[in-house]
Structures are given as structure tokens and as C-alpha cells.
């Protein structure tokens, strides 16, 4: 039962300490063998911004105000989602020792793994704040509406956790979900308003920001961080409902397939 999974996690002792400790270990291991280390996590979005800026602003002339910042926040949000989900597809296999030989609940393992991506995202988001507020010539500056950003990020975290649960549990019975998700990720990338002008995006794909929850999250993040306006409440509510629904599906799969992961993987 789903309630049993949640109840088991809730009753376990020292859960927050374990989650945070595992997240820090996961984050350090991710960059331990890289010579550039954490610097690469900061450098990659900057390099991506440079490439897409040349292609979409200079060559294709999207004519989006503050386009570098526009790209920056869209990319770090999207990259967080892809990193969180792609990095957890094989979680029930790679972290089998944690749930088999320790008292860690599977939910804790998922949360701590995604939380390690939150650490990387935090560095990138700080870079965005510095760039937009101090280097962007057309910046509107800080605003009270910026306080909506944690709410939007919680939405993204729930969506990432839900997708992680779904993908990793499907992996138990279908290993090729990894390749399928790579294709889906590319689809989501090009059908999200990361580098497109929002008006053009909505004209070409009417109401698609409701079909793709990442699109709504990116749109609302720009509203509160760059345009000094409140989020689109209808879109925000829809995205939360979407994420919670997918989380419910993920918990069902964890109950049905995750319990057999140790013997099948």
C-alpha cells in the first residue's frame, strides 16, 4: 500500500540527517573523479548559454530582451530536471545495498539523490542572480515577486521525484527505458520555451504549456525572477496537480515493482 510506504518513511528515525548526509556524499562523488570538479557544473550552463545565444539570438534573431538571462534560468531549470531523472533511472540497482543492508527507506534514497542535484542547482541559481541583477543591462532588479521562486522550485522538485520514481521502477521490468527517456528528454527540450520567444511558442503550440509541465515552470520562473510579476496562478496550480498526480503514479509503481527490485535486478 502507498500509505504503508509513506508511513514507514515517516516513522523512521533520523531520516533528515540520513537524507542530507547521503545527498552530500552523492554530490561529492559526482565530481570526485573530474579534474574540473564542481567548476564543470558551473561552467556547463555558461557554455550552453553561449552556444544557444549565438544560434537563436544572433543567427535566428529571436529578439528576446535580456536573452542571456532568459536562456540562463530556462537552462538551469531544465538541466536540473534531466539530471535528477536521468541520474535515478538505475537507482534501484545501483543503490540496492542501501535498501537491502541498511534501514534506509527507498523514498529516502530517491529524495537524497535528487537533493544532491539541488546542491548543484543552488550554485547555478546564485550565478543567475549575480548575472541578472548585476550584469544584465536591462535587469528590472530584485522584487517581492522573487519570493515565489521557492514555491516554483518545490513544484519542479516534486515533478522530478515523480518522474524518477516512474522511470526507475519501469527500469525493473524494461531496461531500455533509459534509451526511451533520452529521446523523450530531447523532445521536452525542444518543446519547452527555453530559447523560443514565449509569444512565438504559444502561437505555434497553443496551450502546450499545459501539456508540458516543464514549460509552465520555466514560464512562471521568468515571470517572478525577470519580469517582476506574479506567476500565472492557473498554470502554477495545474503544474502542481500534474506533479502530484505523477507522484501518486510513481508511488504505486514503487509499491508494485520496487518491492521486487532486489530480486529482479
Amino acid at each position: 500500500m502507498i500509505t504503508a510506504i509513506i508511513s514507514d518513511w515517516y516513522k523512521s528515525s533520523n531520516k533528515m540527517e540520513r537524507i542530507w548526509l547521503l545527498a552530500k556524499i552523492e554530490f561529492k562523488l559526482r565530481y570526485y573523479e573530474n579534474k574540473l570538479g564542481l567548476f564543470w557544473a558551473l561552467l556547463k550552463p555558461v557554455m550552453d548559454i553561449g552556444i544557444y545565444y549565438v544560434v537563436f539570438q544572433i543567427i535566428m534573431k529571436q529578439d528576446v530582451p535580456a536573452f542571456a538571462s532568459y536562456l540562463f534560468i530556462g537552462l538551469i531549470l531544465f538541466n536540473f530536471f534531466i539530471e535528477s531523472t536521468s541520474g535515478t533511472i538505475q537507482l534501484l540497482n545501483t543503490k540496492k545495498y542501501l535498501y537491502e543492508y541498511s534501514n534506509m527507506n527507498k523514498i529516502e534514497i530517491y529524495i537524497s539523490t535528487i537533493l544532491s542535484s539541488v546542491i548543484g542547482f543552488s550554485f547555478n541559481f546564485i550565478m543567475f542572480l549575480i548575472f541578472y541583477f548585476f550584469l544584465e543591462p536591462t535587469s528590472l532588479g530584485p522584487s517581492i515577486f522573487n519570493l515565489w521562486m521557492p514555491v516554483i522550485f518545490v513544484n519542479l522538485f516534486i515533478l522530478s521525484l515523480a518522474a524518477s520514481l516512474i522511470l526507475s521502477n519501469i527500469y525493473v521490468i524494461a531496461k531500455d527505458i533509459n534509451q526511451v527517456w533520452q529521446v523523450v528528454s530531447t523532445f521536452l527540450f525542444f518543446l519547452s520555451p527555453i530559447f523560443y520567444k514565449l509569444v512565438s511558442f504559444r502561437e505555434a503550440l497553443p496551450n502546450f504549456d499545459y501539456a508540458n509541465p516543464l514549460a509552465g515552470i520555466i514560464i512562471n520562473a521568468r515571470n517572478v525572477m525577470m519580469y517582476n510579476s506574479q506567476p500565472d496562478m492557473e498554470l502554477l496550480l495545474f503544474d502542481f496537480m500534474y506533479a502530484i498526480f505523477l507522484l501518486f503514479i510513481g508511488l504505486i509503481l514503487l509499491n508494485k515493482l520496487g518491492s521486487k527490485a532486489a530480486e529482479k535486478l
Side-chain angles (χ1 to χ4, degrees), residues 170-223:
I170 291 176
Y171 181 82
V172 173
I173 57 173
K175 305 294 186 294
D176 49 358
I177 189 64
N178 211 333
Q179 288 73 30
V180 173
W181 184 241
Q182 290 177 15
V183 175
V184 173
S185 297
T186 303
F187 175 82
L188 289 173
F189 181 73
F190 287 103
L191 291 181
S192 297
I194 296 172
F195 31 71
Y196 308 122
K197 199 172 185 177
L198 184 56
V199 174
S200 304
F201 177 79
R202 282 177 163 164
E203 284 179 355
L205 298 168
N207 297 318
F208 195 75
D209 43 355
Y210 287 90
N212 176 6
L214 278 176
I217 290 170
I218 292 170
I219 290 167
N220 276 329
R222 286 176 178 146
N223 283 343

Side-chain angles (χ1 to χ4, degrees), residues 54-215:
V54 171
V55 173
F56 289 95
Q57 186 75 343
I58 297 177
I59 298 175
M60 299 183 67
K61 301 187 184 303
Q62 285 286 304
D63 192 29
V64 177
F67 188 65
S69 299
Y70 187 88
L71 267 176
F72 204 148
I73 193 165
L75 280 171
I76 62 174
L77 289 168
F78 183 85
N79 287 342
F80 169 80
F81 176 76
I82 297 302
E83 183 179 296
S84 298
T85 52
S86 299
T88 53
I89 289 179
Q90 299 183 45
L91 182 142
L92 290 174
N93 185 23
T94 58
K95 297 290 192 297
K96 188 192 299 186
Y97 63 94
L98 285 175
Y99 62 82
E100 273 203 303
Y101 305 114
S102 74
N103 63 342
M104 286 200 75
N105 186 285
K106 290 188 181 76
I107 293 294
E108 291 180 9
I109 301 172
Y110 280 98
I111 293 174
S112 62
T113 304
I114 297 175
L115 193 58
S116 69
S117 297
V118 173
I119 299 172
F121 173 84
S122 300
F123 286 110
N124 287 324
F125 187 68
I126 290 170
M127 285 181 62
F128 165 77
L129 293 177
I130 294 171
F131 182 85
Y132 181 69
F133 291 143
F134 299 104
L135 301 176
E136 179 62 66
T138 58
S139 171
L140 298 179
S143 163
I144 189 68
F145 295 108
N146 299 160
L147 298 177
W148 276 102
M149 190 61 201
V151 177
I152 294 168
F153 186 74
V154 167
N155 186 182
L156 179 61
F157 187 93
I158 296 171
L159 181 66
S160 301
L161 176 60
S164 297
L165 284 165
I166 292 170
L167 292 168
S168 60
N169 281 282
I170 291 176
Y171 181 82
V172 173
I173 57 173
K175 305 294 186 294
D176 49 358
I177 189 64
N178 211 333
Q179 288 73 30
V180 173
W181 184 241
Q182 290 177 15
V183 175
V184 173
S185 297
T186 303
F187 175 82
L188 289 173
F189 181 73
F190 287 103
L191 291 181
S192 297
I194 296 172
F195 31 71
Y196 308 122
K197 199 172 185 177
L198 184 56
V199 174
S200 304
F201 177 79
R202 282 177 163 164
E203 284 179 355
L205 298 168
N207 297 318
F208 195 75
D209 43 355
Y210 287 90
N212 176 6
L214 278 176

